[in-house]
Amino acid sequence: MTQLYLVDDDQAVLDSLTWMLNGLGYQPQGFLSADNFLKQVDIHSEGIAILDVQMPGMDGSALLSHLTKSQSPIAVIMLSGHGNIAMAVQAIQKGALDFLEKPVDGDKLVNLLEQANLQTKLNVQRKTERDLLSCKLATLTARELEVMEKVLEGKLNKVIAAELNIAQRTLELHRQKVMQKMQVSNVAELAFLMGKNVE
C-alpha cells in the first residue's frame, strides 16, 4: 500500500485522523510541521500527503508549492479548519487533488485516497518517462536536435536540407540517427513521444 503522510500542527487532529485512517486499513505517518516532514520523507518516492493549510513556519500551501517545484510524485490532499473557496481553488491550481474541511468526512476521504493512490503511481510513471526522454535527448548532437525540431514542424527533407545548408543525403543520415537514438520508427511516434512528455 502507498505510504500515507499527515502533516498538521495540532496533535489532536493528527490523533483523530490516524485513528480514522487505521480503521480504513491505512498506517499513516504523522508530522507536526512541514520541516519535520521534509527532513524525514523521501519526496521523490510515491506517497499521499494530507496537509493542513495553516501551520506555523512553512504552511501547507508553501509545502504544496515546494513539492510541485521539486516534481515530487506525492499526491496531495489539503485540509483546513476554516477553508474558503478561494483557498480551495488556489490549492487545486497548485496541484492538490482536493481540499477538505475539518472535521473530515470519512466516506469522501476514502474515495479521495483511492484517487490519490492512482495519481501518485501515475506521477512516478510520468517522471520515469520524462527522465528516459531526457536521457535520449542528451544523446543527440546539436545538429540532430535542429533536424528533429524541423522534422517535428512537418517540413520536407529538401526544405530542411536547404534551411540547414546541407546535402539532402546528409540530412537523411541525421534524420535516421535521430530516429535510432529516440527509439522510434516514424515521425508520428516521435511527435507522440515528445508531445506526451510536454504535459
Side-chain angles (χ1 to χ4, degrees), residues 66-87:
H66 177 76
L67 292 173
T68 307
K69 276 196 194 102
S70 308
Q71 292 191 334
S72 167
I74 293 173
V76 174
I77 297 167
M78 298 301 285
L79 200 58
S80 175
H82 21 249
N84 56 42
I85 291 183
M87 224 184 231

Side-chain angles (χ1 to χ4, degrees), residues 30-146:
F31 301 92
L32 285 163
S33 72
D35 285 341
N36 282 347
F37 169 79
L38 288 171
K39 277 179 195 145
Q40 296 175 56
V41 171
D42 174 9
I43 63 167
H44 298 294
S45 294
E46 66 180 57
I48 301 168
I50 299 177
L51 311 178
D52 183 31
V53 173
Q54 287 169 314
M55 294 186 284
M58 182 189 256
D59 65 10
S61 191
L63 178 53
L64 172 62
S65 295
H66 177 76
L67 292 173
T68 307
K69 276 196 194 102
S70 308
Q71 292 191 334
S72 167
I74 293 173
V76 174
I77 297 167
M78 298 301 285
L79 200 58
S80 175
H82 21 249
N84 56 42
I85 291 183
M87 224 184 231
V89 168
Q90 188 187 23
I92 286 162
Q93 282 173 340
K94 282 185 179 178
L97 194 61
D98 208 338
F99 187 96
L100 296 177
E101 286 194 57
K102 298 175 188 172
V104 177
D105 174 334
D107 292 339
K108 191 170 182 189
L109 185 59
V110 171
N111 290 335
L112 270 180
L113 288 172
E114 283 171 13
Q115 285 177 43
N117 197 22
L118 291 174
Q119 181 70 56
T120 186
K121 288 184 188 329
L122 188 63
N123 291 346
V124 168
Q125 188 187 336
R126 278 193 187 143
K127 186 172 181 347
T128 305
E129 285 172 1
R130 274 200 306 268
D131 292 348
L132 194 60
L133 179 67
S134 298
C135 291
K136 287 177 184 174
L137 287 170
T139 66
L140 298 180
T141 63
R143 177 61 92 194
E144 285 163 0
L145 274 170
E146 277 183 310

